[in-house]
Amino acid sequence: MRSRRMSLSGWGRFPVQECEVWRPERYHDLMLREGAMTLRGQGRSYGDAALNENGNVVLNARVNRFIEFSPDTGLLRTEPGVTLEEIVSVCLPHGWFLPVTPGTKYVSIGGCVAADVHGKNHFRDGSFGAAVQAFELLTADGARLSCTRDNNSELFFATLGGMGLTGVIGEVTLQLRRVESAWMKVRQKKSPDLERVFADLADGDPEDEYRVAWIDCLARGRHLGRSVTMSARHARMDDLSGTRRGQPLVVAPRRKRTLPFNFPGWALNSLSIGVFNHLYYAREGARGGPSVSDYDRYFYPLDAIAHWNRMYGKRGFVQYQCVLPSDTAFDGMREILERLSRSRRPSFLAVLKRLGEESGGLLSFPMPGYTLALDLPLRGRGLLPLLDELDRIVIEKGGRVYLAKDARLSAEAFRHMYPRLDDWLAIKGRIDPDNRFTSSLARRLGLEPPHG
C-alpha cells in the first residue's frame, strides 16, 4: 500500500492541512504497521477531526463490503466504509430504514459510530449508538476486540463518540428500523418567536417521529427566534395513494445539481441572507400540511447539490453547534441569538432541535435539552472571538459544543464542557498508551494522555 501527500480539509474547508494519505483496499490494511494515524471516512466532519497535519491519514472509503443483512430482522453487519446512502439503497426496498440519520447520507457507518451522530428523532430514539449492537475495534497492540454493551463495555462507551481515537472501528452491527414506505408525512408550522418554537418542539403531536426547526437568526426584538417547525413521521400505507401505494418502497432518484465554483466572499451578507430568511419564513411557514414527501427530500435537502460548501467561498465556514440542558436552554439560546443578531454575522443555516437522553458514550455530544447549529462564513477577524463569547455562554449554562462540527474550540473550554473527559483519558491511556490514534482535533483539545 502506497501513500500520497495531499492537502485535506473537513467539509467546512477550514483548516486545510498537509497529510500523508493512505487508501487501503482491504479490511486488514486499515491498520498501519508503523506510525500514528487518523481514520477518515467521507470527510464530512466539518473541522479537523479527520485531519492529521504532517501525519498519516487512512481512508476507509474502499473498505465498504456488506457482510450480512437479514430482511426478516433488519440486522445489518458491514465494513466501516459503507455509507448511509448505500445502506438505504440496499435495505429500504426490503422495508428497513436507518434508525438515526444526520442531515447528509454521504457519511460512513464507522464515522457515525465515532461521532455518535444524532438526527431529528433524538428526543424519542436517542443517538446512532442506541441502534449499534456491536462493533469490532482494532487496537494499538494489534488485537481485534468485539465490543458490545456487555462485552468490553468500557471500550464500547469510550469509542461511541470517541472521535476514532481508541482504535480502528471495524465491522459494525446495526439494528435498522421497519418502515411501511419510503415516504414521509410532513407538517410545517410557523413559530413567531423563540418561546413559541420551544413549546412547539417540546409539545408537538405525539405521533411525530421527527421534529426540527429552521430559525431566522437575523430576527430581532419581539421576532427573535421566529422559526418554521417541520414535524414528520414515516408514512403508512393508508397515507399513500395511486402509484405510491402500489410501490410504497420506491421513490424516483432526485436530479442532482453541482455548485460548479466558489461563491465570492461578499455573496452571503446580512442583506442577502435577510431577504432569503424573509422569503423562506413566509413560503415554508405557509405550507402547513400535512403533506407527503419522499424520505430523500425530508432528511437530505442539501445532498441534492454537490459541493454546496462552495457557497461559502474559498475561505470556507465554521459550523457552530452547541447543546444546552433543558433548564437553561431557553435563556441560553436567547442570549446566543441576541449576540449573533447584534454581531450582524448572519448564519445562512440555523437549526434548532430538542434532544433526549444521553447514550452513555463518554464523549458523546447529545444531552437532554436543545441544540442549535449555525453555519457561519469565515470572513474578517471578528468571527473566532465571537465564537469564544458563545463558548462562554455555553459553559455558563452547562452545555457543550459538538466535536464532529468543531474546528476552533480551546482545550480549556472543552474540559469545562465534557465532565467525563478524565474517565475517557484513563481508558485511552490503557488502550493506546503511545497515542497511535490521533488527529489534529485530538492535539488541539488535549485528547492525548500526557504519558503517551
Side-chain angles (χ1 to χ4, degrees):
M1 183 171 56
R2 293 181 178 178
S3 65
R4 178 183 175 193
R5 194 163 184 82
M6 296 177 63
S7 293
L8 291 180
S9 72
W11 187 245
R13 309 176 82 187
F14 168 79
V16 179
Q17 297 179 350
E18 291 292 314
C19 304
E20 196 69 24
V21 178
W22 306 75
R23 192 192 299 270
E25 304 282 345
R26 295 168 297 187
Y27 185 72
H28 60 76
D29 288 332
L30 281 174
M31 183 82 179
L32 294 183
R33 291 179 176 81
E34 296 180 358
M37 56 182 282
T38 299
L39 262 293
R40 182 179 173 101
Q42 296 292 313
R44 287 295 184 122
S45 58
Y46 282 67
D48 54 0
L51 301 181
N52 187 14
E53 188 165 28
N54 296 316
N56 297 313
V57 171
V58 177
L59 310 183
N60 72 9
R62 292 181 179 170
V63 186
N64 63 343
R65 289 186 309 141
F66 281 69
I67 299 169
E68 189 173 9
F69 169 59
S70 168
D72 296 326
T73 66
L75 203 61
L76 171 71
R77 185 159 65 98
T78 75
E79 291 183 340
V82 169
T83 66
L84 299 190
E85 179 196 29
E86 291 166 333
I87 292 174
V88 173
S89 297
V90 170
C91 301
L92 184 56
H94 296 279
W96 295 97
F97 191 69
L98 298 163
V100 169
T101 178
T104 176
K105 60 195 173 191
Y106 299 124
V107 289
S108 68
I109 191 170
C112 288
V113 175
D116 195 16
V117 298
H118 62 277
K120 300 176 178 72
N121 58 339
H122 191 277
F123 66 97
R124 53 174 285 163
D125 296 322
S127 60
F128 197 82
V132 173
Q133 302 293 303
F135 56 78
E136 187 170 80
L137 192 69
L138 314 183
T139 59
D141 61 3
R144 297 171 59 156
L145 303 180
S146 174
C147 299
T148 70
R149 287 172 179 75
D150 300 316
N151 185 40
N152 292 312
S153 61
E154 188 179 61
L155 280 179
F156 182 90
F157 290 110
T159 302
L160 192 63
M163 306 308 293
L165 297 171
T166 56
V168 175
I169 297 169
E171 297 173 0
V172 178
T173 303
L174 183 70
Q175 177 61 60
L176 302 177
R177 65 175 298 166
R178 176 68 88 177
V179 294
E180 290 185 31
S181 79
W183 300 85
M184 307 296 296
K185 194 166 185 179
V186 182
R187 290 180 297 107
Q188 299 191 179
K189 179 183 178 184
K190 279 185 179 178
S191 304
D193 54 40
L194 192 62
E195 187 170 4
R196 188 64 216 172
V197 69
F198 264 68
D200 290 341
L201 288 174
D203 303 320
D205 189 319
E207 281 209 324
D208 290 346
E209 296 172 308
Y210 304 92
R211 225 176 274 159
V212 62
W214 165 88
I215 287 190
D216 178 358
C217 63
L218 285 177
R220 309 172 78 169
R222 64 187 176 89
H223 298 301
L224 183 78
R226 70 175 184 176
S227 312
V228 177
T229 304
M230 290 156 276
S231 306
R233 63 168 170 80
H234 291 278
R236 299 186 280 261
M237 288 297 287
D238 56 8
D239 296 316
L240 305 178
S241 59
T243 56
R244 293 175 181 175
R245 176 172 279 195
Q247 293 184 302
L249 295 169
V250 177
V251 295
R254 272 195 297 173
R255 182 181 177 187
K256 195 166 182 176
R257 302 177 186 276
T258 297
L259 202 60
F261 55 83
N262 294 307
F263 274 22
W266 48 263
L268 293 180
N269 53 55
S270 58
L271 178 61
S272 63
I273 292 179
V275 171
F276 170 84
N277 285 1
H278 178 79
L279 295 175
Y280 188 88
Y281 180 73
R283 188 190 69 181
E284 295 300 315
R287 288 185 188 274
S291 61
V292 175
S293 169
D294 68 67
Y295 78 91
D296 203 32
R297 286 178 171 81
Y298 179 74
F299 288 110
Y300 313 115
L302 288 174
D303 281 351
I305 307 172
H307 305 295
W308 65 260
N309 52 351
R310 291 174 178 168
M311 180 172 62
Y312 293 96
K314 287 183 179 179
R315 298 182 64 182
F317 68 104
V318 172
Q319 183 164 105
Y320 187 85
Q321 183 166 0
C322 64
V323 57
L324 302 181
S326 300
D327 59 341
T328 64
F330 182 81
D331 289 342
M333 292 302 178
R334 181 172 59 189
E335 198 171 338
I336 288 172
L337 288 171
E338 287 175 342
R339 185 68 192 86
L340 192 69
S341 181
R342 284 199 306 273
S343 76
R344 307 308 288 172
R345 288 184 172 276
S347 172
F348 183 70
L349 185 67
V351 174
L352 184 70
K353 295 194 292 276
R354 186 162 70 92
L355 301 185
E357 295 302 315
E358 298 186 6
S359 67
L362 300 183
L363 296 183
S364 288
F365 168 72
M367 66 166 66
Y370 290 80
T371 178
L372 176 67
L374 304 163
D375 282 358
L376 296 160
L378 268 166
R379 191 176 307 143
R381 297 180 178 176
L383 177 62
L384 298 184
L386 170 65
L387 298 183
D388 290 341
E389 289 183 38
L390 302 190
D391 289 344
R392 284 192 283 274
I393 297 171
V394 171
I395 291 169
E396 180 185 312
K397 302 299 183 186
R400 59 181 67 135
V401 164
Y402 192 11
L403 299 186
K405 307 288 182 68
D406 177 53
R408 30 63 53 193
L409 189 67
S410 73
E412 180 183 4
F414 170 65
R415 176 165 281 280
H416 285 295
M417 293 175 179
Y418 283 81
R420 302 188 72 181
L421 172 60
D422 286 338
D423 295 338
W424 185 89
L425 286 172
I427 297 169
K428 167 78 171 173
R430 289 196 294 273
I431 193 74
D432 183 20
D434 297 322
N435 289 317
R436 283 207 65 192
F437 301 101
T438 186
S439 67
S440 295
L441 176 142
R443 290 189 289 274
R444 175 167 56 82
L445 297 182
L447 281 165
E448 294 184 336
H451 57 279

